[in-house]
Amino acid sequence: MTAQLGPNLLRPILQLGRERLPLLQDAQTAIEAGFPDFETLAWWGIFAPKGTPADIIASMATSVREILSEPAVAAQLRDTQQMTLLLAGAEEFASFFAKQVSIWGQVVRENNIRA
């Protein structure tokens, strides 16, 4: 990505993921820069209203997983968005989401951030 942007336009200096992205190999991670617990991710999830029957959730999850697992779709997301797909089930996502709410909720409270 750096080569495509040119030397005088934009130079990434830090990545926020745990590992370096393939197109940004020259930019160190925050962990490498001395912030051992700093990692943040861009993530997406699909939510359903409370009380949605488990079979509907399972069917929707299966359909989404099948679509995102198609080689052309996965390649497009990887190549254009530098995404690594982690296609977790509902329970794993619920756990991940709760952790994200806890982490970022603390940041919001400690910094008195308001909408």
Side-chain angles (χ1 to χ4, degrees):
M1 189 168 202
T2 303
Q4 295 174 355
L5 296 174
N8 299 319
L9 299 176
L10 182 63
R11 183 177 66 90
I13 58 172
L14 193 71
Q15 298 184 51
L16 302 181
R18 184 162 297 285
E19 299 174 6
R20 292 184 183 203
L21 295 171
L23 290 179
L24 297 174
Q25 286 298 313
D26 294 338
Q28 65 184 344
T29 68
I31 294 167
E32 292 169 334
F35 301 95
D37 296 325
F38 193 92
E39 175 188 21
T40 186
L41 309 165
W43 58 267
W44 291 264
I46 297 175
F47 295 82
K50 185 176 182 176
T52 300
D55 62 324
I56 300 295
I57 291 173
S59 175
M60 184 171 62
T62 298
S63 295
V64 169
R65 190 175 293 114
E66 287 174 0
I67 292 167
L68 293 176
S69 295
E70 290 182 15
V73 174
Q76 179 75 8
L77 291 170
R78 181 186 62 248
D79 296 344
T80 64
Q81 304 299 313
Q82 294 294 294
M83 293 176 75
T84 300
L85 297 176
L86 302 173
L87 302 174
E91 296 80 20
E92 294 91 346
F93 180 70
S95 176
F96 170 82
F97 181 72
K99 182 177 178 183
Q100 292 298 302
V101 168
S102 175
I103 291 169
W104 294 108
Q106 181 178 347
V107 170
V108 168
R109 288 187 298 278
E110 289 176 356
N111 294 283
N112 197 30
I113 298 171
R114 302 279 180 235

